[in-house]
Amino acid sequence: MTNMTDKTVAVVKGLIMDGVAKANSGHPGGAMSSADYATILFSEFLDFNPDDASWFNRDRFILSAGHESMLLYSLLHLNGFISMDDIKNFRQLGSLTPGHPEVHLTPGVEATTGPLGQGFAMSVGFAAAEAHLRARLGEDALSHYTYVLSSDGDLQEPIALGAASLAGLWKLGKLIAYYDSNKIQLAGPTCKADCTDHKKVFEGLCWQVIEVDGHNHDEIRAAIRAGQMETGKPTLIIGHTVMAKGCATMEGSHKTHGEPLKADEIAATKKKLGLPATDFHVPADVLAAYCARFDGLRAKAAAWQTRVDAKLAKDAPFAALWAHVTTPRPELAIDWPSFTPGESVATRQAWGKCLDAVTNALPTLVGGSADLDPSNQTMNFRTLCGDFAVDGYAARNLAFGVREFPMAAIMNGMQLHGGLLPFGATFLTFSDYCRNAIRMSALQDLPVLYVFTHDSFWVGEDGPTHQPIEHVSSLRLIPDLIDLRPADANETATCLDIALKQPRHPSCLFLTRQGLPVLDPAEYPAIIDGPRRGAYVLKECDGTPDLILIASGSEVSLALATARLFKRKVRVVSMPSAKLFDDQPESYKHAVLPPAVTARAAAEAGRTGLWYKYVGLDGVVLGLDHFGASAPGKVLSDRYGFTPENFARMIREKY
């Protein structure tokens, strides 16, 4: 076993060197230092179905050190999930082996990684999803481990420690993290940038910590078994390794982190490892030994399917929950609450009422707030559903604490795991803390729901630090992210329906602190379904309009009030989502905004730049291109000109 394991590790290292060299781009050093651990994990411990990379009860492996991608691709090739041609096309256009792993491209890749620290944080989401679903479905239906491989750079990113703190609090015993401590990063030795004692830190975060020689196979096996046996704590295995282990002359060199090895170094290293000079060499005996346990893995997957089928046939509550776990999001049936026209309701309060209404109807809806439960209107959800892990693993509220970035990445991990509908909430101004994870939601096609309340200067007395100005426009720059800024409670319900039924795009819901009038669907019938197309005619005039007013969110009511100040024919367009509107056919967009009608004005309590796309370069935009101030919201509204009279004045001066 040991000799064959040594040979398999050598073959994996050969593939790493050859793939990076052929691409003339990549990161061989860290992949080689992690190869012992990863090869043993994949060949001896990892549960998966060789015939179905997406089998639901598989162990999850997340390569947080995404730059070590050739290590993962080499093992996925041995798994039979990708071909040798895929290995040879590393980092080439259209290949299944991009520079960093991408979940929607490559079978067996569980998460798109590259931005360091986020893979580690996503693994906490995977493990949390597993623990929650195991508690509700039963261990016979779901029970697996989550493994994550991290590097020095991963643990230098603060997001990793924020997520680790939650994993420790939540006692995620089936989370096993491996830290490849080769003490080298791109710029040189880690001692130039870090003095952290990770054993002390992680023990302080309530983890089991095991230190091993990361090249000693017996120590690696013992550590993995110890991690599996510890059910009350997550486990961190610190593998003390040598960068580019096995290289002929460049072991320990930081130059191997991000540069291909030279041809002579590769040749000498292959000789040292006992490999032939042949490129991309995988001998039959290594492949046969690696695949020897595949029949057993297939039998385990088949037995699992038999158990689930039997449980579905005889256990009605299980079958009902399983239907929710497996139903595609677009097929969700959701009954939203109604609202009384004329009442003043902040859209954050409308979200809270909607959340209360669907909590029982959507049993796989899980999420929480970054320590802002009363402000984000998630307090009732927390009270009704309990705090995850603290009140039991079946509890559905995730008390993230003041950890916006870890919250967002953990939600990505939960969505990637599958079976749940995750949401997270905080103030809009703190979306900046979440931003790179939001980008990763979009990049990975994850329909995560981000709920951002307190969406403008109307926050008032808390002042400019808490008043978002540029945030909505900034988030709209992220491709494939759905922006949803509802005008009232009715639009809020529709926007939530849009978000929760998304099959692949994440959504950001931008909600007000201040009350807004609930518009009457009898007077404005398009308000119920109009938001589904991004923008729609809320108030029509007779014939061709002389003027079109466009607004989102809290400024829609302002636009309606402004329209009443004109004797001209005025059309009012509500645009809760620029993304959804931009995706409509040209015929629809022209029907809402006829090209012949050039007298246009827009209003939104944020940056003005985006709106010239819709009103034209000579159009009128009422917005805010400076920071706010500490004062009551109404005082700021008057100061900044967000009144019907001022908006009308701006329009008259132009048109």
Side-chain angles (χ1 to χ4, degrees):
M1 169 65 76
T2 301
N3 289 338
M4 183 53 70
T5 302
D6 289 340
K7 190 172 181 179
T8 305
V9 170
V11 166
V12 168
K13 290 181 179 180
L15 293 176
I16 291 167
M17 291 187 292
D18 289 340
V20 172
K22 186 173 186 297
N24 195 29
S25 174
H27 301 73
M32 294 176 74
S33 68
S34 301
D36 294 279
Y37 171 80
T39 301
I40 289 172
L41 178 68
F42 269 68
S43 63
E44 299 179 28
F45 290 93
L46 200 69
D47 274 352
F48 62 95
N49 184 346
D51 302 319
D52 181 8
S54 61
W55 176 49
F56 191 54
N57 201 39
R58 69 193 182 278
D59 288 339
R60 270 55 165 190
F61 173 81
I62 297 94
L63 182 68
S64 190
H67 54 280
E68 297 185 10
S69 55
M70 263 307 303
L71 169 61
L72 178 57
Y73 297 147
S74 299
L75 294 167
L76 292 180
H77 171 65
L78 296 179
N79 280 3
F81 292 156
I82 61 176
S83 70
M84 185 57 77
D85 284 341
D86 295 321
I87 296 290
K88 293 177 179 179
N89 284 320
F90 179 52
R91 292 192 165 215
Q92 304 309 300
L93 182 64
S95 77
L96 296 182
T97 50
H100 292 80
E102 297 183 33
V103 66
H104 59 289
L105 286 181
T106 312
V109 169
E110 300 287 0
T112 299
T113 53
L116 291 174
Q118 287 200 55
F120 187 100
M122 285 189 282
S123 75
V124 175
F126 276 95
E130 187 276 339
H132 178 75
L133 288 171
R134 172 162 41 96
R136 299 180 67 189
L137 294 170
E139 289 197 19
D140 51 348
L142 186 77
S143 181
H144 67 77
Y145 290 98
T146 298
Y147 299 96
V148 57
L149 193 161
S150 302
S151 64
D152 291 287
D154 284 293
L155 299 191
Q156 287 174 16
E157 288 286 359
I159 184 178
L161 296 185
S165 179
L166 287 170
L169 172 69
W170 294 340
K171 298 179 171 61
L172 297 177
K174 304 200 82 168
L175 172 62
I176 300 175
Y178 179 77
Y179 165 31
D180 183 62
S181 179
N182 60 44
K183 303 172 183 63
I184 293 291
Q185 55 197 104
L186 183 64
T190 57
C191 62
K192 294 180 179 294
D194 197 6
C195 67
T196 305
D197 185 331
H198 288 96
K199 185 176 190 297
K200 289 182 179 178
V201 168
F202 273 79
E203 286 177 342
L205 295 175
C206 307
W207 285 58
Q208 172 182 231
V209 181
I210 303 169
E211 294 190 85
V212 300
D213 175 346
H215 305 303
N216 184 308
H217 296 174
D218 289 337
E219 289 187 20
I220 290 170
R221 293 185 183 103
I224 295 173
R225 293 189 188 103
Q228 292 176 337
M229 292 176 65
E230 174 55 76
T231 59
K233 294 181 179 181
T235 295
L236 177 70
I237 302 171
I238 301 176
H240 295 287
T241 62
V242 177
M243 188 70 154
K245 176 66 173 178
C247 273
T249 67
M250 297 189 69
E251 277 192 359
S253 172
H254 71 275
K255 292 183 178 180
T256 67
H257 174 87
E259 298 178 17
L261 301 178
K262 303 299 183 185
D264 56 349
E265 179 72 17
I266 293 176
T269 300
K270 286 183 177 181
K271 184 177 181 179
K272 177 181 177 182
L273 295 174
L275 296 172
T278 309
D279 289 343
F280 301 101
H281 175 68
V282 180
D285 60 339
V286 165
L287 189 59
Y290 187 92
C291 297
R293 70 187 188 108
F294 280 15
D295 286 344
L297 292 173
R298 291 185 178 100
K300 184 178 288 190
W304 173 85
Q305 188 64 58
T306 299
R307 290 197 307 273
V308 171
D309 289 343
K311 200 167 184 178
L312 287 169
K314 66 181 181 182
D315 187 337
F318 171 83
L321 181 57
W322 187 258
H324 282 280
V325 168
T326 57
T327 296
R329 292 175 69 122
E331 298 176 18
L332 290 174
I334 307 174
D335 292 325
W336 298 105
S338 58
F339 299 90
T340 304
E343 285 191 352
S344 178
V345 178
T347 52
R348 65 164 175 155
Q349 293 175 320
W351 140 253
K353 186 173 180 180
C354 288
L355 179 61
D356 294 346
V358 302
T359 293
N360 292 326
L362 296 177
T364 57
L365 184 68
V366 298
S369 168
D371 196 48
L372 292 169
D373 300 270
S375 298
N376 292 155
Q377 300 292 298
T378 57
M379 183 58 79
N380 288 347
F381 183 81
R382 180 175 189 169
T383 300
L384 179 64
C385 297
D387 284 329
F388 172 72
V390 176
D391 296 322
Y393 289 105
R396 294 162 56 191
N397 183 78
L398 298 160
F400 291 110
V402 188
R403 299 183 182 92
E404 295 88 353
F405 193 5
M407 173 181 76
I410 287 170
M411 290 194 298
N412 285 342
M414 299 186 84
Q415 185 67 58
L416 285 163
H417 180 278
L420 298 173
L421 306 171
F423 74 87
T426 187
F427 289 170
L428 177 56
T429 193
F430 302 138
S431 65
D432 284 339
Y433 289 144
C434 307
R435 185 179 179 86
N436 200 264
I438 297 173
R439 182 179 186 270
M440 295 302 292
S441 300
L443 187 62
Q444 297 182 88
D445 298 335
L446 302 179
V448 171
L449 172 60
Y450 295 91
V451 178
F452 295 127
T453 68
H454 297 60
D455 73 342
S456 73
F457 68 81
W458 280 93
V459 171
E461 293 86 347
D462 275 339
T465 61
H466 283 54
Q467 293 171 15
I469 302 302
E470 74 280 16
H471 298 73
V472 174
S473 288
S474 175
L475 288 165
R476 286 176 179 144
L477 295 175
I478 298 176
D480 297 328
L481 177 68
I482 297 176
D483 57 309
L484 297 164
R485 189 166 187 255
D488 79 332
N490 293 303
E491 276 199 3
T492 301
T494 303
C495 286
L496 272 168
D497 196 74
I498 293 168
L500 290 176
K501 291 181 179 178
Q502 280 300 313
R504 51 185 294 264
H505 293 320
S507 300
C508 288
L509 199 60
F510 307 119
L511 304 173
T512 66
R513 178 198 187 198
Q514 77 277 17
L516 300 177
V518 176
L519 302 178
D520 189 350
E523 182 178 359
Y524 306 107
I527 198 170
I528 301 301
D529 287 320
R532 298 185 189 281
R533 305 194 76 170
Y536 64 98
V537 178
L538 176 66
K539 180 184 182 298
E540 187 59 290
C541 58
D542 294 330
T544 302
D546 300 317
L547 171 68
I548 298 176
L549 303 183
I550 314 167
S552 81
S554 51
E555 285 63 63
V556 171
S557 295
L558 170 64
L560 289 170
T562 301
R564 290 191 285 270
L565 299 180
F566 288 94
K567 295 182 179 179
R568 291 185 274 176
K569 293 182 291 184
V570 180
R571 170 183 290 183
V572 177
V573 171
S574 175
M575 187 181 288
S577 176
K579 158 69 175 170
L580 293 179
F581 182 66
D582 289 346
D583 287 347
Q584 298 304 310
E586 287 297 312
S587 58
Y588 178 78
K589 289 188 279 190
H590 288 168
V592 174
L593 301 175
V597 182
T598 58
R600 302 180 186 181
E604 184 176 63
R607 292 300 298 264
T608 59
L610 172 142
W611 289 99
Y612 290 102
K613 175 179 180 179
Y614 304 106
V615 302
L617 295 179
D618 293 327
V620 173
V621 180
L622 172 61
L624 210 61
D625 289 320
H626 58 80
F627 294 119
S630 178
K634 182 62 172 66
V635 172
L636 295 177
S637 176
D638 293 340
R639 170 65 65 88
Y640 300 147
F642 281 80
T643 65
E645 294 75 17
N646 182 62
F647 195 23
R649 177 193 60 77
M650 293 172 61
I651 295 168
R652 289 191 179 103
E653 288 180 356
K654 181 68 178 181
Y655 303 114

